[in-house]
Amino acid sequence: CCFQLYGYCYQDSNDIPDTLTTITELGSPLEMIQLLQTSWEDRFRICLSLVRLLHYLAHSPLGSVTLLDFRPRQFVIVDGELKVTDLDDASVEESSCTSNSDCFMEFPARNFTLPCSVEGRCQSMNEKRNLYNAYRFFFTYLLPHSAPSSLRPLLDKIVNATGNHNKHVICTEYLALELSPSPSVNSEFTQKCVKSANTQYRRVPEAFIPDENYRCWPSYHHKGCLLSVFDVNEAIEICDSYSQCKAFVLTNQTTWTGRQLVFFKMASNHIVPDPDKITYVKVTD
């Protein structure tokens, strides 16, 4: 969840005494506009790593830690996952209070008042501040945008619950469990939500369509429409949603979550043998 520290050293300088030099892993700056142009699964992976960070901050060895400057510029991407780099503004102090009115949290879009405990501390203020900042800077942009249709009801529920501070602990666990990268965890939910299609498709095993590409967004291939699906039913649903789609090809490649990569094609005039692929051609009346 945090930047990996590989080493550090102290050295005295004539200009600056007690200079500390650190050696850390290399990460890429977090550019939100660039992230919105990536696949949903890549963005989901970032959100999942953020959930792990939220859990760690809430249960760290030092107690509940809040990041007072919780902004995208404080994070980097390392191997597809989000990591925090700047801990200068981290705090383990829960705000003191004498009444609930002292536990007032103000944000640009919403305000919250938390209960004051008998010990004179605002209950879970550090954790909830982190959670709401994760919602307004990350979840609300990265999770729902171009998400698989089968997961949208769950994602809307998670985003809304996070923004409202309702059941915040359950919400983070819900995200980690229900949207686990393991297909076995969310298979039952996904299968229940995938729509059945009325369109008929002819299955052509060990076949590929090399041409007939069209562009779609987001796509794993810049010259064609290459998307990830849970199963054939979801591929049919996607093809039916594009007027130019007349066929699709299942590959033997998967994303990091185990979803299968599929090429969507605008025609099936030229089909060639390929033992590693299966082509589905839309049947027209």
Side-chain angles (χ1 to χ4, degrees), residues 54-65 127 169:
L54 292 172
H55 184 270
Y56 177 80
L57 293 175
H59 305 89
S60 80
L62 299 176
S64 182
V65 180
E127 184 177 3
V169 176

Side-chain angles (χ1 to χ4, degrees), residues 58-262:
H59 305 89
S60 80
L62 299 176
S64 182
V65 180
T66 187
L67 301 180
L68 299 176
D69 192 10
F70 200 114
R71 298 174 184 271
R73 65 189 179 191
Q74 306 292 347
F75 300 86
V76 294
I77 303 296
V78 179
D79 295 330
E81 298 199 2
L82 189 74
K83 294 195 176 184
V84 62
T85 61
D86 192 350
L87 296 175
D88 291 345
D89 296 312
S91 174
V92 296
E93 294 293 329
E94 294 277 17
S95 299
S96 59
C97 59
T98 56
S99 65
N100 292 350
S101 60
D102 296 327
C103 302
F104 181 74
M105 289 196 303
E106 185 176 7
F107 296 97
R110 294 200 62 177
N111 300 324
F112 300 93
T113 300
L114 303 179
C116 180
S117 69
V118 294
E119 293 83 11
R121 297 289 179 181
C122 297
Q123 292 184 14
S124 304
M125 177 170 278
N126 286 349
E127 184 177 3
K128 291 193 174 185
R129 181 184 286 113
N130 289 338
L131 185 68
Y132 189 77
N133 280 327
Y135 157 79
R136 70 189 185 107
F137 286 120
F138 292 96
F139 292 154
T140 190
Y141 297 110
L142 300 183
L143 270 181
H145 181 58
S146 69
S149 58
S150 58
L151 293 178
R152 284 171 190 164
L154 175 61
L155 294 173
D156 290 340
K157 181 178 180 180
I158 290 172
V159 172
N160 291 335
T162 310
N164 292 328
H165 273 176
N166 291 335
K167 302 179 181 178
H168 58 285
V169 176
I170 296 177
C171 181
T172 53
E173 292 176 349
Y174 202 16
L175 180 62
L177 292 175
E178 292 291 345
L179 299 185
S180 166
S182 172
S184 61
V185 174
N186 67 356
S187 61
E188 181 179 357
F189 176 84
T190 307
Q191 287 173 345
K192 288 180 180 178
C193 293
V194 170
K195 298 178 181 178
S196 60
N198 295 323
T199 310
Q200 298 295 318
Y201 285 79
R202 177 168 56 90
R203 184 177 185 272
V204 185
E206 298 185 357
F208 179 61
I209 304 174
D211 302 313
E212 309 295 350
N213 291 314
Y214 67 90
R215 293 183 179 181
C216 66
W217 184 88
S219 173
Y220 287 92
H221 195 281
H222 68 282
K223 291 185 178 180
C225 187
L226 179 63
L227 304 174
S228 68
V229 302
F230 176 77
D231 59 9
V232 175
N233 288 334
E234 188 174 356
I236 291 174
E237 182 184 356
I238 293 174
C239 191
D240 286 346
S241 67
Y242 286 96
S243 59
Q244 64 267 53
C245 183
K246 305 301 180 185
F248 60 87
V249 181
L250 298 180
T251 72
N252 61 353
Q253 296 176 298
T254 59
T255 64
W256 70 277
T257 61
R259 288 169 61 88
Q260 193 168 9
L261 289 178
V262 176

